Amino acid sequence: MKNIIVGQSGGPTAVINSSVAGVYKKAKELGIDKVYGMVHGIEGFLKENIIDLGEYLDKDENYELLKRTPSAFLGSCRYKLPKIDGNEELYEKIFNILEKYKIDALFYIGGNDSMDTIKMLSDYAKEHHKPQLFMGIPKTIDNDLPITDHCPGYGSAAKYIATSIKEIIRDNSSFDKTRQTICVVEIMGRHAGWLTAAAALAKGEDCEGVDAIYLPEIDFDLDEFLTNVKSLIKKKASVVIAVSEGLKTSDGKFVCELGDEDRKVDSFGHKQLSGCAVTLANIIAKETGLKTRAIEFSTLQRAATHLASLTDINEAEMVGMKAVEEANNGKTGMMVIMQRNDNYQITTDTYDIHNIANVEKKVPLEWIDLDNNMMKEDFINYAKPLIMGELLPIFKNGLPTHLIRK
Ligand code: F6P
């Protein structure tokens, strides 16, 4: 391979830049000439918004800084390529740009919607006998990509959530029953409950854990929820409940929409989900007369590189490296996947993108303790290794420093 290009797509994570770092590192090991970056994913690429990553990453200190930089260093997008039939002009434009820059392989770091881009481009290349290679690199805090054991980005978001839940529980336990407060904490993850389930990791010797967890895998029943809350407030001074942003009632309505039906939809067709905790906290306050607090982790849970999991950072770098290695072996139309053994040793492989793009992996129902609205030990055993280890930020004037695109 002479030159390659890498892009980032979808919601950022705390470690998505470590995958860019991994792509760059392996490319340089293999003697690849230029590693380009597309600014704002395929959308920016179409406008030839392209940078030479060597200008940033040739310096070792920048490489280390990139791994400690939140958000998508290259910029992201939520853009779905249209179907090939009738849109050949757009696809030809993409391949013309690839030819212009002599790019032999394109790497895209993203979740299930973003993997559709790799599927479409590799399908087009096959149909039209184009030589370029296309590889997907997994990323999503939602942890909902199929086939791979887990997704880079999830472990760090889970670590942030479990840490913050511990801190919230301590704070909420400060007062006695005369100042009882019910906290409802809203966690991202759209249609899959992996991230919300991570609230269960807070429990330990120094923390009693959350009082209930509500995942989108289970239809939300408001009456059952209120009965549970009322029983909890009789027993405890502090009540902390974790809810998924994607909770839906059995008739398909998002809980966050209960008070507001008019939601924006992004170009992947997803409704903007937020406001579930506020909605539920208001209902609880009305029903019980008690003080409630709605906490929405929102952007913080995917941007908290200062608390990233070292395991996650290393794996994000590893899948980036693997993608380049496999493209160099001639593979295309694949995404890198991770597999674990019983001792949590991770190996990487590649898998056909057609079985991955647009598919969402949910939390197995047998890992959910429905009677207690809690996660079972199987989930804890699955998630715990993913949050291990820390990589300290590089502090300047009391704040972490980041690598910024000029
Ligand atoms: O896809 C990752 C994710 O963080 C989801 O968990 C969340 O629902 C969504 O992105 C939010 O997207 P945006 O930041 O574009 O509103």
Side-chain angles (χ1 to χ4, degrees), residues 22 31 33 54 94 196 334:
D33 191 8
I94 293 174
T196 309
M334 302 266 178

Side-chain angles (χ1 to χ4, degrees), residues 11 78 140-142 188-190 195 245 266 272-273 302:
R78 288 196 190 275
T140 169
I141 61 164
D142 297 355
M188 278 183 173
R190 220 186 285 280
L195 263 189
E245 63 172 2
D266 69 22
Q272 196 185 352
L273 304 177
R302 67 182 191 203

Side-chain angles (χ1 to χ4, degrees), residues 165-177 179 181 183 207-209 211 236-240:
I165 292 271
K166 280 189 80 172
E167 291 166 349
I168 290 167
I169 292 172
R170 286 278 55 78
D171 182 284
N172 207 48
S173 309
S174 311
F175 298 102
D176 64 14
K177 255 198 155 184
R179 214 174 169 280
T181 304
C183 280
C207 180
E208 76 235 48
D211 298 296
K236 304 183 76 234
S238 163
V239 174
V240 178

Side-chain angles (χ1 to χ4, degrees), residues 7-11 38-47 75-84 87-94 97 106 108-121 139 190 265-270 357-358:
Q8 298 171 305
S9 168
M38 42 180 109
V39 176
H40 298 296
I42 197 73
E43 210 170 13
F45 180 83
L46 278 162
K47 297 175 198 147
S76 190
C77 70
R78 288 196 190 275
Y79 178 82
K80 204 157 186 152
L81 285 173
K83 62 176 180 10
I84 294 173
N87 292 293
E88 284 80 2
E89 212 178 300
L90 178 95
Y91 283 88
E92 278 305 313
K93 184 172 178 189
I94 293 174
I97 300 173
L106 182 153
Y108 215 40
I109 310 168
N112 20 39
D113 292 317
S114 309
M115 287 306 131
D116 188 70
T117 301
I118 290 297
K119 178 171 81 77
M120 299 302 270
L121 291 175
K139 160 274 16 168
R190 220 186 285 280
V265 174
D266 69 22
S267 55
F268 287 149
H270 302 304
N358 307 311

